[in-house]
Amino acid sequence: MSTEGGIVMRTSTVFTARYAETDQMGIVHHSNYPIWFEAGRTDFLKKAGVSNTSIEAKGVLLPLYEMNCRFISPAKYEDEIVVETRIKTLSCVRISFSYQVFNASNNKPIATGETLHAWTDKTLKPLNAEKKIPEVYSALYKEFKNINGGNVL
Amino acid sequence: MSTEGGIVMRTSTVFTARYAETDQMGIVHHSNYPIWFEAGRTDFLKKAGVSNTSIEAKGVLLPLYEMNCRFISPAKYEDEIVVETRIKTLSCVRISFSYQVFNASNNKPIATGETLHAWTDKTLKPLNAEKKIPEVYSALYKEFKNINGGNVL
Amino acid sequence: MSTEGGIVMRTSTVFTARYAETDQMGIVHHSNYPIWFEAGRTDFLKKAGVSNTSIEAKGVLLPLYEMNCRFISPAKYEDEIVVETRIKTLSCVRISFSYQVFNASNNKPIATGETLHAWTDKTLKPLNAEKKIPEVYSALYKEFKNINGGNVL
Amino acid sequence: MSTEGGIVMRTSTVFTARYAETDQMGIVHHSNYPIWFEAGRTDFLKKAGVSNTSIEAKGVLLPLYEMNCRFISPAKYEDEIVVETRIKTLSCVRISFSYQVFNASNNKPIATGETLHAWTDKTLKPLNAEKKIPEVYSALYKEFKNINGGNVL
């Protein structure tokens, strides 16, 4: 049931780099990229019809167990930032997202990354998303199947 | 030349509350409000035609010497937030902004605040903005005068 | 029952300014001061024998309703920072703290501030701390009375 | 000249998890780990006699080009945190650090990670650290050689 490599859909989330996000190198500090990825992920889930707030309201959390970032070109204060988000892998126990960060004005790549999450209950104990929140799981899975032509790995 | 009480213009800046901004009370942590105010201030200056990036490019900084926040109702993850920003006071050595934060979906007030800034050079030494960056100063001042009917305090 | 002006005790909390806390002015961004105040407050409550974690375990939260900061001299990366914390006012419905931030190496003042908090339950509804958590309240109150000579305002 | 796998020295940096670092899952938000790694790296360089502040004063920066984190067990508010830091690889153009994060009270592992950095000038252009700051480079390299028995890869 894992869908390694499957593309469900791709969302673009746009916002402005904040002054507080800069550091004394004059660029956006690297610790903000996980937050930007998260803004992309929030938007992705909302557009997929299964907002993270609604998932949490059903008692399900998505804590990270791994995160990777590659920094290509620094973002600067007031840059218009685009985060492109897609599901990278999906299974009933785990989900991962990948992100591409661009400068909106010139499409220059800024960073890429992945976050790997477990489906858990409120006490952070793993659960089976397909059983616990089938409507969420099938919304994500169906989207994937439609686009990926059923070529589920 | 001080303009205490003068209203130059009012801008509305909209964004989504981030997961990273929440704390274990389940609400947006109070330390994010200064960052939200700053997002409003960035947008205000840009819409006034004198972006903070362009001001800094002229060698002028706007460090804070005071900041006040009042928290009315907590913001939550995924709330659509509006920050309304206006200049509160303007002089050749100082400028202050006031902010009203609302929930975009129901116009419920969330917080208010002020930030008080000095005009300084890159070494944080005070300078006279009217002399150093007259085009920026007059852009802000003219806008004020137009709306405030010349009733400069 | 309010103790406006009373000094319970004063704690000193020491840490190093982080790179991520700087901004492109080359100084610690102002949004970090509320977080530094909070580190001082956490330490104060712990040293008073009523850690914030233990207070929350009893179902009581301390959300802010107001916060003020005055910035005197910028903090820089790697500066050793001291936050001195004391209770400013205490009542059964509210508590406020005041903070003085110094550079540990030269005692130069960096910033001062206050945070004003309500005692609430987990749903952020106000409660009476003297009734709900009498042992916490009396620990804070007794400390105050001892030092302030009973001159409770 | 690369020292892949070499261990220069290992430093332990201790601090308390902050309230602002928690999120609505009730755990430390993952975006804080890069900041904790950085606190460890700052301490490592200082203890190696080549503080990051002194490196930057010589016109050399250490921007990241990659970052990886694995989350083992969540950190909570008020936890005493230890970050163990060591150099993972060192060359005249790049340096990487690895980190192990523990709970100080029970030695339970919390997270691990790596950050990969380029040696650059103030404009973020790569430079040769061995030539530009030989005293910094040799301080880091000598320490490595002493401990690693000259077994440089």
Side-chain angles (χ1 to χ4, degrees):
Chain A
M1 198 70 70
S2 149
T3 60
E4 176 103 8
I7 292 170
V8 175
M9 69 178 197
R10 191 183 294 261
T11 55
S12 289
T13 310
V14 183
F15 49 84
T16 306
R18 296 171 174 178
Y19 203 94
E21 293 173 333
T22 64
D23 63 23
Q24 68 184 34
M25 284 193 230
I27 60 176
V28 169
H29 190 267
H30 58 274
S31 62
N32 292 290
Y33 288 87
I35 299 172
W36 289 4
F37 295 163
E38 190 172 74
R41 190 163 69 247
T42 292
D43 195 29
F44 179 95
L45 291 171
K46 191 178 187 179
K47 286 172 179 165
V50 290
S51 78
N52 198 17
T53 295
S54 74
I55 292 174
E56 293 203 345
K58 292 175 211 292
V60 176
L61 303 180
L62 277 167
L64 276 77
Y65 64 90
E66 195 172 327
M67 162 172 86
N68 305 299
C69 312
R70 283 163 301 283
F71 307 100
I72 300 162
S73 166
K76 300 277 179 81
Y77 169 55
E78 287 209 66
D79 281 354
E80 284 299 301
I81 303 297
V82 185
V83 179
E84 277 192 9
T85 306
R86 63 179 188 87
I87 293 181
K88 196 183 170 198
T89 64
L90 172 65
S91 80
C92 54
V93 292
R94 297 190 160 192
I95 185 168
S96 68
F97 296 86
S98 71
Y99 313 90
Q100 291 190 284
V101 181
F102 297 94
N103 184 313
S105 70
N106 57 15
N107 284 319
K108 213 173 156 178
I110 291 173
T112 64
E114 299 88 39
T115 58
L116 295 72
H117 307 252
W119 298 102
T120 77
D121 67 15
K122 294 272 184 190
T123 69
L124 303 175
K125 255 178 56 183
L127 57 74
N128 184 317
E130 199 176 5
K131 288 185 184 164
K132 175 70 179 177
I133 44 170
E135 67 295 351
V136 170
Y137 189 80
S138 65
L140 296 173
Y141 188 72
K142 182 185 162 196
E143 193 73 48
F144 158 78
K145 208 173 143 198
N146 283 346
I147 291 171
N148 207 41
N151 182 21
V152 184
L153 306 187
Chain B
M1 198 71 68
S2 151
T3 60
E4 176 103 8
I7 293 170
V8 174
M9 68 179 198
R10 191 182 295 260
T11 55
S12 290
T13 309
V14 183
F15 49 84
T16 305
R18 297 171 173 178
Y19 203 93
E21 293 173 332
T22 64
D23 64 23
Q24 67 185 34
M25 284 192 229
I27 60 175
V28 168
H29 189 266
H30 58 274
S31 62
N32 293 290
Y33 289 87
I35 298 171
W36 289 4
F37 295 164
E38 190 172 73
R41 190 163 69 248
T42 292
D43 196 29
F44 179 95
L45 291 171
K46 190 177 188 180
K47 286 173 178 164
V50 289
S51 79
N52 198 16
T53 294
S54 73
I55 292 173
E56 294 204 344
K58 294 175 210 290
V60 176
L61 303 179
L62 278 167
L64 276 76
Y65 63 91
E66 196 172 327
M67 163 172 86
N68 306 298
C69 311
R70 283 162 301 283
F71 307 100
I72 300 161
S73 167
K76 300 278 179 79
Y77 170 54
E78 286 208 67
D79 281 354
E80 285 298 301
I81 303 297
V82 185
V83 178
E84 278 193 9
T85 306
R86 62 178 189 88
I87 294 181
K88 197 184 171 198
T89 63
L90 173 64
S91 80
C92 52
V93 291
R94 298 191 159 192
I95 184 167
S96 68
F97 295 85
S98 72
Y99 313 90
Q100 292 191 283
V101 181
F102 296 93
N103 185 313
S105 69
N106 59 15
N107 284 319
K108 213 174 155 179
I110 291 174
T112 63
E114 299 89 38
T115 58
L116 295 73
H117 306 253
W119 298 102
T120 76
D121 66 16
K122 293 271 182 188
T123 69
L124 302 175
K125 254 178 57 183
L127 56 73
N128 184 317
E130 199 176 5
K131 289 184 182 165
K132 174 72 178 176
I133 42 170
E135 66 296 351
V136 170
Y137 189 79
S138 66
L140 297 174
Y141 188 73
K142 182 183 162 196
E143 193 73 48
F144 157 79
K145 208 174 142 198
N146 283 347
I147 291 171
N148 207 40
N151 181 22
V152 185
L153 304 189
Chain C
M1 197 71 67
S2 150
T3 61
E4 176 103 8
I7 293 170
V8 174
M9 68 180 198
R10 190 183 295 260
T11 54
S12 290
T13 310
V14 183
F15 49 84
T16 305
R18 297 171 173 178
Y19 203 93
E21 293 172 333
T22 64
D23 65 23
Q24 68 185 34
M25 284 193 229
I27 60 175
V28 169
H29 190 266
H30 58 274
S31 62
N32 292 288
Y33 288 87
I35 298 172
W36 289 4
F37 295 164
E38 190 173 75
R41 190 163 70 247
T42 291
D43 196 30
F44 179 96
L45 291 170
K46 191 178 187 180
K47 287 173 179 164
V50 288
S51 78
N52 198 18
T53 295
S54 74
I55 292 173
E56 293 203 346
K58 292 174 211 291
V60 176
L61 303 180
L62 277 167
L64 276 76
Y65 64 91
E66 195 172 327
M67 162 171 86
N68 306 300
C69 311
R70 282 162 301 283
F71 306 100
I72 301 163
S73 167
K76 301 276 179 80
Y77 170 55
E78 286 208 67
D79 281 353
E80 285 299 301
I81 303 297
V82 186
V83 178
E84 278 192 9
T85 306
R86 62 179 189 87
I87 293 180
K88 197 183 170 196
T89 63
L90 173 64
S91 80
C92 53
V93 292
R94 296 190 160 193
I95 185 167
S96 67
F97 296 85
S98 71
Y99 314 90
Q100 292 190 283
V101 182
F102 296 95
N103 184 313
S105 69
N106 58 15
N107 285 318
K108 213 172 155 178
I110 291 173
T112 63
E114 298 90 38
T115 57
L116 294 73
H117 307 252
W119 298 102
T120 76
D121 66 16
K122 293 272 183 188
T123 68
L124 302 175
K125 254 178 57 183
L127 56 74
N128 184 317
E130 198 175 6
K131 289 185 183 164
K132 174 72 178 176
I133 43 170
E135 67 295 350
V136 170
Y137 189 80
S138 66
L140 296 174
Y141 188 73
K142 182 184 162 196
E143 193 73 49
F144 158 77
K145 206 174 143 197
N146 282 348
I147 290 170
N148 207 41
N151 182 22
V152 184
L153 303 188
Chain D
M1 198 70 68
S2 149
T3 60
E4 177 103 8
I7 292 170
V8 174
M9 68 179 197
R10 192 182 294 262
T11 54
S12 290
T13 309
V14 184
F15 49 84
T16 306
R18 296 171 173 178
Y19 203 94
E21 293 173 333
T22 64
D23 65 22
Q24 68 184 32
M25 284 193 230
I27 61 175
V28 169
H29 190 266
H30 58 274
S31 62
N32 292 290
Y33 289 87
I35 298 172
W36 289 4
F37 296 163
E38 189 173 74
R41 190 163 70 247
T42 292
D43 196 29
F44 179 95
L45 291 171
K46 190 178 187 180
K47 287 172 178 164
V50 289
S51 78
N52 198 17
T53 295
S54 74
I55 292 173
E56 293 204 344
K58 293 175 211 290
V60 176
L61 303 180
L62 277 167
L64 276 77
Y65 64 91
E66 195 172 328
M67 163 172 86
N68 305 299
C69 312
R70 284 162 300 284
F71 306 100
I72 300 162
S73 167
K76 300 277 180 79
Y77 170 55
E78 287 209 65
D79 281 353
E80 285 299 301
I81 303 297
V82 185
V83 179
E84 278 192 9
T85 306
R86 63 179 188 88
I87 293 180
K88 196 183 170 198
T89 64
L90 173 64
S91 79
C92 53
V93 291
R94 297 190 160 192
I95 185 167
S96 67
F97 296 85
S98 71
Y99 313 90
Q100 292 191 283
V101 181
F102 297 94
N103 185 313
S105 69
N106 58 16
N107 285 318
K108 212 173 156 179
I110 291 173
T112 63
E114 297 90 39
T115 57
L116 295 72
H117 307 252
W119 299 102
T120 76
D121 67 15
K122 293 272 183 190
T123 69
L124 302 174
K125 254 177 59 182
L127 56 74
N128 184 318
E130 199 176 6
K131 289 185 182 163
K132 173 73 178 177
I133 43 170
E135 66 295 349
V136 169
Y137 188 79
S138 66
L140 296 174
Y141 188 72
K142 181 184 163 196
E143 193 72 48
F144 158 78
K145 208 174 142 196
N146 283 347
I147 291 171
N148 207 40
N151 183 21
V152 184
L153 304 189

